[in-house]
Amino acid sequence: MAETEQTPIVGQVLRASTVGFVCGTRSQQIEHPAFGAFVRTRQDSAADLDVIGVIHAISIDDDPLVRQMILANNMTQATIRDQRENRLVPLEISVLNVGYIQGGRIYQTLPPRPPLSLDPVLLCDAPTVARFTARLDFLRLVLNASDVPTEQLLAAVLKFAAAARPDAERRAFLVEAGRLLAGLLSQDLPRLQHLLQLIRPA
Amino acid sequence: MTTRDPLFPETDSLDDWFPRGAHSTPAAPGAGQRLGVVVGGSLSRGLDIKLDPQATIEDLAVGRYVVVRGRSKRFFCMITDVLLDATNPAIRSDPPDLGDAFLRDVYSGTAAFGTVHVAPMLSIDEGSDEPKPVRTIPSHFTAVEIASAQDVDDVFGQEDATHFHVGAPLELEDTRVHLDLRRLVERSVGIFGKSGTGKSFLTRILLAGVIKNDAAVTLIFDMHNDYGWAVKTEDGPQAKGLKQLFGGRVVIFTLDDEATRRRGASYDHEVTIGYDEIEPEDLAMLKTTLDLSDAMIDAAYELHKVWGRGWIGQLINADAEALEALKAQLAASFVSVLALKRRVQRFERYGFLKPHAAEDSARRILEYIESRKNVVLEFGRYGNALDAYILVANYLTRRIHQMYVERVEKALGDTALEPPQLLITIEEAHKFLDPQIARQTIFGTIARELRKYNVTLLIVDQRPSGIDEEVMSQIGTRVTALLDNERDIAAVLTGVSGAGGLREVIARLDTRQQALIMGHAVPMPVVVKTRTYDTEFYASVSSASTQDAPKLSVTPSDPESRRLR
Ligand SMILES: Nc1ncnc2c1ncn2[C@@H]1O[C@H](COP(=O)(O)OP(=O)(O)OP(=O)(O)O)[C@@H](O)[C@H]1O
Ligand SMILES: [Mg+2]
């Protein structure tokens, strides 16, 4: 797969539902994923269902060793690095599903099935993000998601989507997104105004 | 290997990677002339249309046409109001800062949007080209477009023997609105508007159409020398009069030969009226203008009885002795006689009034009319004397109408024997048709009896509220330039179905050369930018009348006329 080379692997699916999934990775790979970034799973061709989502949380759980080390008070740079690279608890990246690909089509709604454990999760590159965000029906999914910081997530997602476009198209894209939000949030003006402040181009 | 990955497609077409129908397709900006969608309304109140964000509300003047493309019909509607709306009224109390360009682009057309209110006027069924009155309305969310040139042409047709080009609809400068001349002259016509809005110019244009297409013969009581020859304009050079456009088909009569000659205009006849021909009925018409009481009018009838023809001359010239004699005869009404004498004394100043007229002007005019010649009666300096204007117009019209009635009745329904359709033009019409006198005067009679005797009126007025309501309701075609007085607007709209929205239209017309035309001669009300009365216009009306008019002002060899037609 030619794309895989250009697209960094974010991790592998740890647990999943149709609403979203969590993928895990080694903690030193934290520079790749970012809050609001677009990711996709890639299954083998037989399954024909790739899920697209946005990262809404990144967390690092503790493990018994970390607790001990903090109490032990004898941390060298080497032990810290060793703990980070070889620890047993992965970095957890939570993803909100916003669409899927099936039969060569993009759908901006929840996938019919969740991805499978250990499916690879890839970070979408700029052209992919631009293509996926040519339609903005998925904003509604983000807006209505529970247990996520909706406004911040939306703003981050839109910034990513804008950044995936050529400079000249960014403003127009954000305006279009803003107009859509104005329609969705017409009954909640303070929230709308807050969101628009977050996404407005500098 | 994946078979095909839409995120890395070979094609760039959006539809290839997004399933069709799963998304509402947003209106492509600039597609056609789409304006918005119908979101509510009723047949009687009109339709509400929510504007698409890309429609600029500032371009949507009242009076413009829009077309609603329903499933099986096109609905023609006129914009009657434009308003600003918001999905959430709370936005009014906390308006976003639209100085910020981003926020402005986001909010306009979404949380805050424009609505236009339109009045449905006509519908055309799919596959038919016959405009019909609207009896229903389009369903919810039907798309609305600015009317195209084709739409307007479908309603107003092409110029032909009975259709005359009067102007262009708003914002459709290359389209033409045609008036049905036959229907125009069939009923009375009213031309209204404030002073200086172009009433006289518009009237001249309509009359030129009537003359050119021979739709009727016209008799014009030309108060301010606006129609016959070398017309003054407010800005720039003189404009041509009808005589200059139609030569021998127009005959000029004058009341004031001196003034006519001074203007370098030619005239064909001078009108004189003998005192011996003025009847008490002619005075009754001047009731409001000369402030005559009922008693004075009664006195006039009594004098007529006592003195017979020439009574008014006698009254004016009556010396103390004659009055003394009269006092004995008419003791009861003598006070009124004296008052009347003082009032009619002013007639002495009118040069066209003579003790006895050499010829019968009314009969002379009628002869021309019967040979289908159009008559312009210039008032010269007497145009400024309203009582002179009313006296003469009434005097002549009463007699001509009388002769018309006789002719029509003698023809016994044989149209070949009937005199030609006659259109009588009067200015300051409310002075002839105010509610106090409209019932008794000849103009009120003509307006009310419709086309029974082949005579209709073209009334030009700047104060339509002064016109008798019943007369107003009989006016078939109303042409209205700007009016700003509420009562005048209401008067013009009396009896017009669906008039509600039109009042805004009338109050918002340009101050010049724009008019709302509604009624008998047009399939639906229309706001036109009136044709400009200029050389192009002259050429277009004169060249077509070559065969009838030998004395053309624009000869066929004139390069301009060839260019224009
Ligand atoms: N169709 C037109 N073509 C050319 N000029 C026009 C036209 N309509 C109006 N005008 C200009 O507007 C001026 C005023 O028009 P007009 O004399 O017809 O107004 P009006 O309504 O008859 O005014 P009033 O009530 O004072 O008689 C004209 O002198 C002319 O310059
Ligand atoms: Mg005038």
Side-chain angles (χ1 to χ4, degrees):
Chain A
M1 271 189 255
E3 308 88 76
T4 348
E5 272 107 69
Q6 332 154 351
T7 322
I9 291 199
V10 176
Q12 283 167 298
V13 174
L14 205 58
R15 53 182 180 273
S17 76
T18 47
V19 179
F21 58 89
V22 175
C23 68
T25 185
R26 295 154 72 100
S27 54
Q28 92 271 27
Q29 272 160 347
I30 195 160
E31 60 266 28
H32 285 312
F35 178 69
F38 286 83
V39 296
R40 60 177 296 188
T41 63
R42 184 176 291 283
Q43 301 185 356
D44 49 64
S45 54
D48 187 27
L49 177 71
D50 290 354
V51 176
I52 294 183
V54 292
I55 296 176
H56 68 81
I58 303 172
S59 57
I60 303 170
D61 261 349
D62 59 357
D63 64 17
L65 189 58
V66 175
R67 296 175 182 231
Q68 277 179 23
M69 284 170 69
I70 288 172
L71 294 175
N73 212 6
N74 62 343
M75 274 185 290
T76 63
Q77 284 306 318
T79 49
I80 291 179
R81 201 166 53 240
D82 178 60
Q83 151 65 15
R84 283 187 181 163
E85 283 170 14
N86 299 315
R87 62 184 300 219
L88 292 171
V89 179
L91 181 70
E92 289 191 5
I93 299 166
S94 306
V95 174
L96 176 71
N97 291 345
V98 292
Y100 63 97
I101 302 164
Q102 195 173 36
R105 294 285 204 180
I106 299 173
Y107 297 86
Q108 295 199 345
T109 183
L110 294 180
R113 289 184 299 278
L116 301 179
S117 310
L118 299 181
D119 272 347
V121 179
L122 317 179
L123 191 65
C124 297
D125 60 5
T128 309
V129 172
R131 285 219 161 80
F132 182 77
T133 54
R135 294 276 166 86
L136 293 172
D137 306 84
F138 75 94
L139 291 187
R140 230 194 137 82
L141 271 178
V142 179
L143 208 56
N144 294 333
S146 49
D147 301 328
V148 302
T150 325
E151 285 103 38
Q152 281 68 23
L153 179 59
L154 256 181
V157 162
L158 288 172
K159 289 247 145 123
F160 267 105
R165 293 173 153 71
D167 264 350
E169 292 171 20
R170 286 182 189 163
R171 183 176 187 280
F173 171 78
L174 288 173
V175 167
E176 201 201 322
R179 299 178 65 90
L180 204 90
L181 291 174
L184 294 174
L185 290 176
S186 62
Q187 295 315 317
D188 192 353
L189 293 173
R191 194 162 168 220
L192 173 64
Q193 271 160 15
H194 176 59
L195 249 173
L196 293 178
Q197 282 308 329
L198 290 177
I199 67 166
R200 65 190 291 262
Chain B
M1 286 254 88
T2 42
T3 41
R4 188 158 81 104
D5 188 335
L7 291 182
F8 299 94
E10 291 83 60
T11 150
D12 254 346
S13 159
L14 262 187
D15 281 334
D16 283 346
W17 12 293
F18 283 104
R20 208 182 272 278
H23 306 264
S24 59
T25 317
Q33 297 206 288
R34 196 187 127 118
L35 202 63
V37 292
V38 175
V39 292
S42 72
L43 183 59
S44 55
R45 275 193 312 102
L47 304 175
D48 298 316
I49 291 165
K50 178 177 184 290
L51 295 182
D52 285 346
Q54 68 271 15
T56 326
I57 203 161
E58 292 168 14
D59 292 344
L60 296 174
V62 287
R64 272 186 88 166
Y65 276 142
V66 300
V67 171
V68 185
R69 294 196 190 275
R71 234 168 258 228
S72 61
K73 301 184 191 348
R74 260 181 301 168
F75 293 86
F76 287 79
C77 312
M78 186 185 280
I79 299 182
T80 54
D81 206 355
V82 186
L83 43 144
L84 297 173
D85 214 336
T87 40
N88 183 349
I91 202 165
R92 288 159 191 269
S93 50
D94 185 15
D97 170 20
L98 292 195
D100 181 328
F102 176 69
L103 294 184
R104 186 179 58 234
D105 290 353
V106 167
Y107 277 109
S108 56
T110 55
F113 54 89
T115 305
V116 292
H117 197 73
V118 304
M121 303 277 182
L122 268 190
S123 66
I124 297 186
D125 286 336
E126 200 81 57
S128 141
D129 49 11
E130 187 200 346
K132 293 202 193 115
V134 275
R135 299 219 175 75
T136 179
I137 51 174
S139 60
H140 262 103
F141 314 130
T142 311
V144 182
E145 296 166 13
I146 291 276
S148 67
Q150 183 61 49
D151 292 324
V152 174
D153 284 347
D154 287 349
V155 175
F156 290 98
Q158 299 298 323
E159 188 155 29
D160 59 22
T162 54
H163 289 84
F164 184 66
H165 166 208
V166 287
L170 280 190
E171 309 291 334
L172 282 173
E173 242 79 302
D174 298 328
T175 321
R176 294 169 162 208
V177 170
H178 298 117
L179 223 62
D180 187 331
L181 291 173
R182 222 180 3 192
R183 289 172 70 89
L184 181 80
V185 300
E186 211 168 62
R187 300 236 219 130
S188 291
V189 182
I191 299 199
F192 308 109
K194 280 178 29 162
S195 181
T197 47
K199 292 186 298 297
S200 304
F201 270 64
L202 185 53
T203 306
R204 201 156 352 96
I205 288 170
L206 293 187
L207 290 174
V210 168
I211 297 173
K212 176 196 162 201
N213 295 15
D214 208 13
V217 182
T218 66
L219 165 60
I220 304 164
F221 292 105
D222 185 0
M223 193 173 198
H224 300 299
N225 313 316
D226 278 330
Y227 300 98
W229 191 273
V231 181
K232 276 202 304 280
T233 62
E234 280 173 19
D235 36 31
Q238 290 184 330
K240 284 194 184 184
L242 295 171
K243 173 99 181 173
Q244 288 158 294
L245 295 182
F246 296 102
R249 294 178 58 201
V250 174
V251 181
I252 297 185
F253 279 64
T254 183
L255 276 181
D256 182 2
D257 58 321
E258 235 174 81
T260 301
R261 238 182 281 121
R262 204 175 329 113
R263 282 172 45 235
S266 64
Y267 65 91
D268 303 275
H269 291 278
E270 203 185 328
V271 172
T272 50
I273 296 173
Y275 282 136
D276 54 356
E277 291 174 79
I278 297 180
E279 295 170 358
E281 286 86 348
D282 297 320
L283 266 198
M285 182 85 186
L286 291 167
K287 187 163 185 271
T288 30
T289 319
L290 288 187
D291 193 17
L292 303 178
S293 65
D294 287 338
M296 288 186 232
I297 290 170
D298 289 344
Y301 280 97
E302 284 183 49
L303 284 172
H304 183 60
K305 237 182 279 160
V306 177
W307 282 337
R309 290 179 65 155
W311 62 280
I312 200 161
Q314 279 197 35
L315 178 63
I316 291 169
N317 296 322
D319 49 20
E321 204 176 314
L323 287 174
E324 210 49 48
L326 198 61
K327 189 173 181 177
Q329 244 175 318
L330 298 175
S333 53
F334 188 66
V335 187
S336 304
V337 170
L338 286 181
L340 182 66
K341 177 173 163 58
R342 274 194 303 278
R343 296 292 205 294
V344 300
Q345 209 89 36
R346 57 189 289 128
F347 289 174
E348 279 183 301
R349 284 182 282 147
Y350 300 149
F352 57 87
L353 287 177
K354 304 262 161 65
H356 180 75
E359 68 169 354
D360 182 344
S361 302
R363 190 162 292 281
R364 186 21 78 74
I365 290 172
L366 189 71
E367 280 166 19
Y368 278 111
I369 290 169
E370 286 197 306
S371 57
R372 305 198 74 89
K373 298 248 194 297
N374 301 280
V375 178
V376 178
L377 174 54
E378 291 200 340
F379 278 70
R381 79 192 112 116
Y382 304 120
N384 294 325
L386 197 57
D387 51 333
Y389 185 66
I390 292 175
L391 178 72
V392 172
N394 179 52
Y395 171 89
L396 292 174
T397 304
R398 241 161 50 84
R399 281 152 187 80
I400 290 166
H401 179 256
Q402 183 55 40
M403 295 186 247
Y404 251 74
V405 171
E406 284 164 16
R407 297 259 200 298
V408 170
E409 279 173 353
K410 222 161 61 204
L412 291 169
D414 182 351
T415 41
L417 297 176
E418 286 181 6
Q421 180 73 40
L422 173 64
L423 183 66
I424 299 179
T425 302
I426 46 171
E427 299 235 8
E428 300 284 346
H430 67 273
K431 303 283 187 196
F432 295 85
L433 296 168
D434 86 37
Q436 283 201 38
I437 57 173
R439 243 151 265 278
Q440 300 118 40
T441 66
I442 183 60
F443 291 101
T445 309
I446 293 176
R448 281 195 308 270
E449 75 193 8
L450 295 173
R451 44 201 269 214
K452 199 156 141 213
Y453 295 112
N454 291 5
V455 185
T456 51
L457 299 179
L458 190 162
I459 61 180
V460 183
D461 204 308
Q462 47 176 302
R463 217 169 65 73
S465 60
I467 294 176
D468 182 58
E469 214 169 288
E470 195 194 337
V471 170
M472 205 67 188
S473 67
Q474 301 293 359
I475 294 177
T477 304
R478 302 176 199 186
V479 180
T480 311
L482 174 70
L483 283 172
D484 49 14
N485 180 300
E486 271 304 313
R487 292 180 47 225
D488 288 333
I489 296 176
V492 170
L493 291 175
T494 43
V496 175
S497 68
L502 294 176
R503 68 184 325 115
E504 284 308 308
V505 175
I506 294 177
R508 305 275 184 274
L509 289 168
D510 269 4
T511 50
R512 214 182 245 194
Q513 234 183 311
Q514 243 188 30
L516 171 70
I517 307 179
M518 55 194 162
H520 208 50
V522 282
M524 63 176 165
V526 57
V527 176
V528 294
K529 174 169 188 307
T530 321
R531 277 173 92 166
T532 299
Y533 192 78
D534 58 5
T535 46
E536 190 175 329
F537 180 85
Y538 306 156
S540 76
V541 293
S542 310
S543 53
S545 53
T546 322
Q547 63 273 53
D548 315 84
K551 286 197 287 174
L552 271 182
S553 41
V554 180
T555 59
S557 65
D558 184 338
E560 195 150 54
S561 72
R562 236 185 301 124
R563 183 168 57 78
L564 295 166
R565 226 154 217 255

